Amino acid sequence: MHKKGGARASTNTYSTMLYVILGTVKEVSIGPTSLMALFTLQICRELPIEFVVLLTFLSGCIVFVMGLLRLGFLVDLISPSVTSGFTSATAIIIVAGQVKGLIGLSFVAESVADNVYFVVSKWRDIRLADCALGAVCCTVLLLLRKLKDVQVSPKQTKLKKALWLVSISRNAIVVLAASVFAFYTHNPQKPMFKLSGLVEPGLPPLSLPPFSASLHNSTLRLQDMVLHLGSGVLMLPIVMVLANIAIAKAFSVGEKLDITQEMMTLGLCNIAGSFVHAMPTCGAFTRSAVSHSSGVRTPAAGLYSGIITLLALLFLTQYFYFIPKACLSSVLICAVIFMIDIETVLRLWRRDRMELSVLALTFVTSIALNVELAVLAGILASLALLVRRLMRPALHAAAVKTGSGEVCVVRVTQGAVYLSAELVGRRLQWAAARSAPRALLVDCTRLTLLDYTAQQVFERVIKKIKNDNQKILFYNVPVELMSQMENIEGVIKQSFRATSVQEALAVIEEKAVEANESTALMATEPGSRDNVELYNPVVQTNFTK
């Protein structure tokens, strides 16, 4: 079979070389990744290659515009739980899709379930030679992966470097060894292994991205092609940015990361790649990790890898024919199995099972339906969980002993917004009723949000408590919420800056002294006795016991 996909995908080398000029993180390597390949496959399944190139161009334009508009914050909508879920699911999907190559089978499957079904139904066609080669390759790859962790004497620096070099070169070593073995044992009439076949040599010509394509004997215009690509046109750029920024953050610890520059660079890399028939690209964690381990100093490291890849496409493609498919499947499987994030699952099981449910939803949706829908479902589930937590903020009430007796202190956490304002108001009234006739103190240390609805609710609560001859004081008010709290009618502003229960109570005592002085002054005036009799009980209620 005459193949062009390998050469076209490898033209993403231009993206790597462009990142050398515009990139900000020296370790990041831009190019084709397993994640991008899976997304592209699911979006462009059974569509001509023109759709893949157009997807690359549109994704690059969207990411570039996101960078211009400084929309990097949108990536923060994707929680770590969602990222872990779809990353683990991606690894499972890739492994399921590569099992057929590992055991010498050939079929077309669209899902994990289809792969499992065809493997089971075609078990009689399994090729033992491919199975044996796959098993050997997987074993060698996993052993070589641990080679760099072998403990050697600190004095044997050359040995340690040699072990490290062999370890990070394991994929090339295994592919080369398997190809040489397949070459010398090749029998054209009855080949021992299933081979990769012919790969078109050279580089594709420079041309504009296709804005029309032929499908089912009809010509589709740009808008029709975009409709065929569906939601993937929007979801792929988001995942692309998420993966690239995550990798950039991982390798720029302690350094300033310009997310806007990274997004614009990633967009330009994909736009440029579309002019040479490239698939969508982003940062590759494995290649970036190798660059980091190699101690690269500048992004120019990508220049060398790009030149080597271009030379391989020009002069070595004829030898790609003998690469066994079982070997390639082994390389992919051994690379992605470590993307399955078991550690996060166990941590969430112990700490936050609601977040674990978001991860599970994303994972199951990825496996059962598709990855882009799973990311959308995960984002919506995370936002729903956030809204739920805002609707049910925790309020901690405690009785605090003071010199004048016990007072009730309520600590409001998170925020008081329209979603939770009524609930917070009801709980404050309940706490006031339990502490009557003493004052109710509200600790605002952890109050982070306050909107207009909550201000109205607080005004109503203050009025109700005052009508019951009690006092309510808000103290430890954060500086950023001070102006909003001051707009609440009836609130005692002097207590806002109090940092302890004693300081808040001192404000009450000051108010009581002022009230007594005002009462004494009113008692000297004619007709003031009725006012004194109405006011005195309030002062006595709070301070006589």
Side-chain angles (χ1 to χ4, degrees):
M1 183 174 62
H2 194 65
K3 297 184 179 180
K4 298 182 182 180
R8 282 199 173 103
S10 297
T11 56
N12 289 286
T13 300
Y14 294 119
S15 299
T16 300
M17 300 175 77
L18 182 60
Y19 189 85
V20 171
I21 303 172
L22 302 175
T24 61
V25 182
K26 59 183 182 297
E27 292 90 352
V28 169
S29 174
I30 300 292
T33 66
S34 300
L35 181 61
M36 288 295 100
L38 178 62
F39 261 88
T40 304
L41 173 64
Q42 293 194 347
I43 296 170
C44 301
R45 190 184 298 276
E46 299 181 358
L47 294 175
I49 190 67
E50 288 82 4
F51 285 82
V52 176
V53 180
L54 179 63
L55 180 63
T56 303
F57 176 75
L58 294 177
S59 298
C61 291
I62 292 173
V63 173
F64 183 76
V65 171
M66 288 174 64
L68 284 177
L69 299 178
R70 299 181 180 274
L71 298 179
F73 68 89
L74 293 177
V75 179
D76 294 334
L77 293 176
I78 303 179
S79 68
S81 301
V82 176
T83 305
S84 176
F86 85 76
T87 302
S88 299
T90 299
I92 297 293
I93 294 171
I94 293 173
V95 169
Q98 294 302 317
V99 169
K100 62 181 180 182
L102 198 66
I103 58 180
L105 296 179
S106 296
F107 54 80
V108 177
E110 296 187 0
S111 65
V112 174
D114 289 344
N115 278 288
V116 173
Y117 170 77
F118 284 120
V119 168
V120 173
S121 62
K122 294 176 176 289
W123 68 271
R124 289 187 177 87
D125 299 328
I126 292 176
R127 298 165 59 96
L128 295 180
D130 289 275
C131 288
L133 179 63
V136 170
C137 288
C138 286
T139 303
V140 173
L141 285 168
L142 295 176
L143 290 176
L144 290 180
R145 185 177 185 273
K146 299 298 292 182
L147 194 62
K148 65 180 185 298
D149 300 324
V150 174
Q151 297 296 325
V152 297
S153 173
K155 298 180 179 180
Q156 297 177 310
T157 55
K158 291 184 178 180
L159 176 60
K160 187 169 183 62
K161 288 183 178 179
L163 293 177
W164 171 83
L165 182 61
V166 172
S167 179
I168 66 170
S169 306
R170 59 186 178 276
N171 291 340
I173 293 172
V174 169
V175 170
L176 180 61
S179 301
V180 170
F181 182 73
F183 175 79
Y184 283 107
T185 59
H186 181 61
N187 183 352
Q189 280 71 36
K190 191 177 180 181
M192 180 180 295
F193 308 111
K194 284 199 170 186
L195 304 178
S196 296
L198 294 173
V199 177
E200 181 182 0
L203 304 176
L206 187 68
S207 63
L208 289 173
F211 298 113
S212 63
S214 297
L215 182 65
H216 305 314
N217 297 323
S218 62
T219 301
L220 301 180
R221 293 176 297 177
L222 176 61
Q223 56 267 36
D224 300 319
M225 295 176 71
V226 174
L227 289 175
H228 274 79
L229 293 174
S231 62
V233 175
L234 297 176
M235 295 306 302
L236 183 65
I238 293 176
V239 175
M240 185 185 294
V241 171
L242 173 68
N244 208 68
I245 292 179
I247 293 171
K249 285 182 177 180
F251 294 105
S252 61
V253 179
E255 301 177 8
K256 184 179 179 180
L257 176 62
D258 190 341
I259 294 180
T260 298
Q261 176 72 15
E262 282 295 307
M263 292 174 65
M264 295 175 64
T265 301
L266 180 61
L268 288 175
C269 287
N270 280 275
I271 293 173
S274 67
F275 284 83
V276 288
H277 301 176
M279 64 171 283
T281 61
C282 68
F285 189 85
T286 303
R287 294 194 298 271
S288 300
V290 171
S291 298
H292 178 71
S293 301
S294 303
V296 297
R297 302 293 183 183
T298 68
L303 182 64
Y304 301 106
S305 60
I307 292 174
I308 292 172
T309 303
L310 291 176
L311 291 175
L313 288 173
L314 289 171
F315 304 111
L316 299 179
T317 52
Q318 58 181 321
Y319 302 108
F320 295 168
Y321 177 93
F322 294 99
I323 300 177
K325 288 186 176 181
C327 176
L328 292 179
S329 295
S330 301
V331 170
L332 285 171
I333 290 173
C334 292
V336 302
I337 56 174
F338 298 100
M339 292 169 55
I340 301 175
D341 195 357
I342 302 296
E343 183 179 351
T344 297
V345 173
L346 297 177
R347 190 182 302 116
L348 289 177
W349 175 263
R350 293 191 300 266
R351 299 181 184 180
D352 192 340
R353 296 187 183 181
M354 292 299 295
E355 281 289 337
L356 181 61
S357 66
V358 174
L359 187 154
L361 173 66
T362 307
F363 179 85
V364 172
T365 306
S366 298
I367 298 294
L369 299 175
N370 56 64
V371 178
E372 60 265 25
L373 182 60
V375 173
L376 180 59
I379 293 173
L380 293 177
S382 295
L383 292 177
L385 181 59
L386 176 61
V387 169
R388 181 183 182 277
R389 287 173 173 169
L390 285 175
M391 292 177 67
R392 295 289 183 271
L395 269 73
H396 305 291
V400 178
K401 291 184 178 181
T402 66
S404 58
E406 287 188 352
V407 293
C408 182
V409 178
V410 176
R411 174 173 291 176
V412 183
T413 62
Q414 297 178 2
V417 294
Y418 73 97
L419 294 169
S420 59
E422 292 294 340
L423 176 63
V424 172
R426 288 196 302 270
R427 290 180 176 176
L428 288 179
Q429 290 185 34
W430 174 85
R434 293 289 299 270
S435 65
R438 299 190 176 280
L440 175 66
L441 305 184
V442 183
D443 186 356
C444 301
T445 306
R446 298 182 182 178
L447 185 64
T448 56
L449 297 171
L450 184 69
D451 65 2
Y452 176 70
T453 303
Q455 292 176 21
Q456 288 183 310
V457 171
F458 282 172
E459 288 178 359
R460 192 169 66 246
V461 170
I462 292 171
K463 185 177 180 180
K464 172 68 169 58
I465 292 177
K466 282 188 174 181
N467 289 339
D468 294 336
N469 292 331
Q470 276 185 271
K471 287 187 181 296
I472 177 172
L473 279 84
F474 296 84
Y475 72 101
N476 259 334
V477 176
V479 176
E480 56 271 17
L481 298 181
M482 197 75 72
S483 60
Q484 293 169 273
M485 290 291 294
E486 289 175 349
N487 292 329
I488 298 176
E489 185 178 345
V491 73
I492 300 175
K493 301 177 183 179
Q494 292 87 337
S495 64
F496 288 174
R497 299 185 183 277
T499 58
S500 65
V501 173
Q502 288 74 16
E503 291 182 14
L505 291 176
V507 173
I508 297 179
E509 293 175 0
E510 290 175 6
K511 297 290 289 185
V513 171
E514 292 175 3
N516 284 329
E517 292 176 352
S518 176
T519 301
L521 180 61
M522 293 173 64
T524 63
E525 299 177 2
S528 63
R529 184 170 299 276
D530 292 338
N531 294 331
V532 176
E533 291 176 353
L534 289 173
Y535 190 82
N536 278 339
V538 178
V539 179
Q540 293 174 357
T541 299
N542 287 287
F543 299 102
T544 54
K545 290 189 179 181

